[in-house]
Amino acid sequence: MTLSLSVSSDRACRQLDELAAFSDAPAPAVTRVLFTETDLRGRTYIRKLMEDAGLSFRVDPAGNLFGRWLGSEPDLPAVATGSHCDAIPHSGRYDGTVGVIGAIEAVVALRVTGFQPRRSIEVIMFNSEEPTRYGIGCLGSRIMSGQLSPNAASNLKDEGGETFETTRTKAGCSGSLNSVRLQPGTYHAFVELHIEQGPLLEQQNLPIGVVTAIAAPAAFRVTFHGEGGHAGAVLMLDRKDALLPAAELTVAVEQAAVELGGNDTVATVGILDVHPHAINSIPSRAEMTVDVRDIDLERRDLVLEAIKKYATEVAESRKIRIQLEMINADRPAKCDERVIAAIRAAAEEANLPALPMISRAYHDSLFMALIAPTAMIFIPCRGGVSHRPDEYASPEAIGGGIEVLARTLARLSLA
Ligand code: GLV
Ligand code: MN
Ligand code: MN
């Protein structure tokens, strides 16, 4: 199949810049948290791009957005592609967005050539891939794949105590969450375009990565309940400072990953909040999160369990009450050989050398892989930097990724 495609990386980059302007952080940082006013404006922007591309638009009750290009055999399972547009606090403009805006541009490029898909092609913008508001990542795709029950999703609470049920209703997402789940077989294949968020492609000067597997993420929340008091008046031996076990645990998290894990094991404390957060007050409460990942599930669990055990022990030794709540513990995903082969063939057609690689970050693909043959296309990003305001992917890298995505979708849609 020789398509003479003309991808407009200029248009895609302009759209990425326009979307980045919907932010609650000053540029170049981007903060776009699920169902905030800013996020709602971003979602309207994406909806318009989908409609302008001639896609028929719908939104599901969880707030996932869909734009469908009908194939000549519309009853066949469609080929789906997409990613997310929410952005964690003070991050960049390319994480996720390249896979949504890039997917719409891929459709536009295919349309312009006169290409007619046999299977429908569906662009998806998943809701809340980032865990910022409700603590758990991949909210939309988790519900879609049946990994989070509608009831559990409804009852998730944000920091202000508002439930997901309330927030989605206020955001205009009506209908029962029961209808969000998709049965295996709904999609013939799923492909996600994303920046690498690591340094390998840039280091090897390669334009395309073909993801063969996605590392298994897990996260839990720990709260230490100590005793607050006056920072001047309470003597050291009389204290139950809640921050101290949290500090010890933070160091132990690094140690566990390094000493018990392997090269692919990573562990992070990304949140550590102290109450009442005053210079002259002993912390009465410390809340922290622990994020542990590995491509090897057994090793991930070994490290995870060691950290949990240490948390309990350190609390006990300091006579401080501990509350430990698992957020998620997901399995790794193995990408589908057939979809990988389609991406490789598309990259070859585009004359873009492709490197097989694993994804250390998680993506909606982790969950889509449970209900559809799935693989991912990576493009290089500067210095491998992500989740930072200086995240950057060049127009050339973005254009190459979109071209490979378009050719992959074309192949899969004719299969
Ligand atoms: C997604 O942003 C992740 O944390 O891997
Ligand atoms: Mn991210
Ligand atoms: Mn992402």
Side-chain angles (χ1 to χ4, degrees):
M1 180 181 34
T2 328
L3 283 169
S4 77
L5 272 184
S6 141
V7 165
S8 171
S9 59
D10 282 357
R11 180 169 44 216
C13 290
R14 180 177 46 77
Q15 290 167 349
L16 286 164
D17 291 344
E18 283 172 4
L19 181 60
F22 301 113
S23 168
D24 286 323
V30 179
T31 299
R32 201 164 39 244
V33 178
L34 179 70
F35 291 150
T36 53
E37 278 302 313
T38 305
D39 181 52
L40 292 173
R41 289 208 297 276
R43 293 161 66 82
T44 304
Y45 178 81
I46 295 296
R47 174 182 184 155
K48 177 148 189 340
L49 291 188
M50 285 182 172
E51 288 174 343
D52 289 350
L55 300 172
S56 63
F57 176 84
R58 81 181 167 92
V59 51
D60 76 9
N64 298 300
L65 311 186
F66 301 80
R68 183 170 277 232
W69 179 11
L70 271 197
S72 58
E73 296 186 42
D75 293 337
L76 289 177
V79 175
T81 180
S83 195
H84 64 98
C85 286
D86 60 326
I88 67 162
H90 282 264
S91 59
R93 67 184 56 182
Y94 301 95
D95 175 4
T97 52
V98 165
V100 177
I101 284 174
I104 298 169
E105 178 58 32
V107 164
V108 171
L110 285 171
R111 268 192 195 285
V112 168
T113 62
F115 177 79
Q116 171 60 54
R118 178 167 160 256
R119 298 172 181 279
S120 300
I121 294 178
E122 185 142 89
V123 178
I124 309 175
M125 192 203 86
F126 294 96
N127 221 3
S128 194
E129 189 262 0
E130 304 290 9
T132 317
R133 182 153 187 178
Y134 286 100
I136 190 163
C138 297
L139 189 50
S141 52
R142 243 178 231 280
I143 307 173
M144 237 186 241
S145 61
Q147 297 303 297
L148 182 67
S149 73
N151 189 39
S154 295
N155 291 321
L156 286 171
K157 285 201 179 87
D158 68 7
E159 237 178 53
E162 184 171 294
T163 63
F164 178 62
E165 186 59 26
T166 304
T167 319
R168 77 171 181 106
T169 310
K170 281 202 232 164
C173 300
S174 54
S176 161
L177 285 182
N178 290 327
S179 65
V180 173
R181 182 167 183 180
L182 300 178
Q183 291 310 314
T186 303
Y187 291 122
H188 172 69
F190 177 75
V191 193
E192 180 170 2
L193 171 65
H194 205 283
I195 58 168
E196 182 198 340
Q197 305 181 291
L200 298 182
L201 291 173
E202 188 184 65
Q203 280 169 2
Q204 299 185 37
N205 197 22
L206 289 168
I208 296 294
V210 185
V211 175
T212 55
I214 305 172
F220 63 92
R221 190 176 289 113
V222 186
T223 311
F224 292 105
H225 299 271
E227 257 170 40
H230 196 289
V234 184
L235 292 176
M236 296 312 282
L237 292 179
D238 296 332
R239 294 187 181 199
K240 283 189 184 169
D241 183 331
L243 176 58
L244 295 174
E248 289 194 67
L249 179 58
T250 303
V251 175
V253 165
E254 184 198 28
Q255 264 168 1
V258 172
E259 287 166 18
L260 303 176
N263 190 46
D264 291 322
T265 319
V266 287
T268 308
V269 174
I271 295 178
L272 174 50
D273 291 332
V274 167
H275 184 82
H277 200 251
I279 292 184
N280 52 356
S281 188
I282 299 163
S284 61
R285 192 172 71 231
E287 272 182 46
M288 61 191 279
T289 55
V290 180
D291 175 306
V292 186
R293 310 182 192 203
D294 202 316
I295 193 71
D296 181 324
L297 182 61
E298 270 179 41
R299 195 172 53 193
R300 197 273 320 263
D301 283 343
L302 180 89
V303 172
L304 184 65
E305 288 312 315
I307 296 172
K308 283 163 66 177
K309 185 161 172 279
Y310 185 85
T312 313
E313 286 169 0
V314 76
E316 223 171 70
S317 75
R318 289 184 170 275
K319 299 195 169 38
I320 281 176
R321 187 163 70 83
I322 180 175
Q323 220 180 332
L324 199 153
E325 179 201 349
M326 271 321 281
I327 297 172
N328 65 297
D330 304 306
R331 304 178 65 80
K334 195 174 157 347
C335 294
D336 180 76
E337 290 300 334
R338 210 168 33 87
V339 184
I340 290 172
I343 296 171
R344 294 187 76 107
E348 209 163 290
E349 226 172 64
N351 268 320
L352 296 172
L355 179 73
M357 58 199 311
I358 60 158
S359 170
R360 298 179 189 282
Y362 60 68
H363 304 280
D364 294 300
S365 287
L366 187 69
F367 294 94
M368 290 308 281
L370 297 170
I371 55 166
T374 292
M376 295 185 71
I377 301 167
F378 272 179
I379 58 166
C381 55
R382 187 175 60 199
V385 163
S386 186
H387 284 186
R388 268 171 41 179
D390 55 339
E391 181 178 86
Y392 177 75
S394 70
E396 190 193 359
I398 292 169
I402 297 173
E403 172 163 359
V404 174
L405 175 63
R407 292 183 185 279
T408 305
L409 295 174
R411 280 178 175 270
L412 293 168
S413 78
L414 296 178

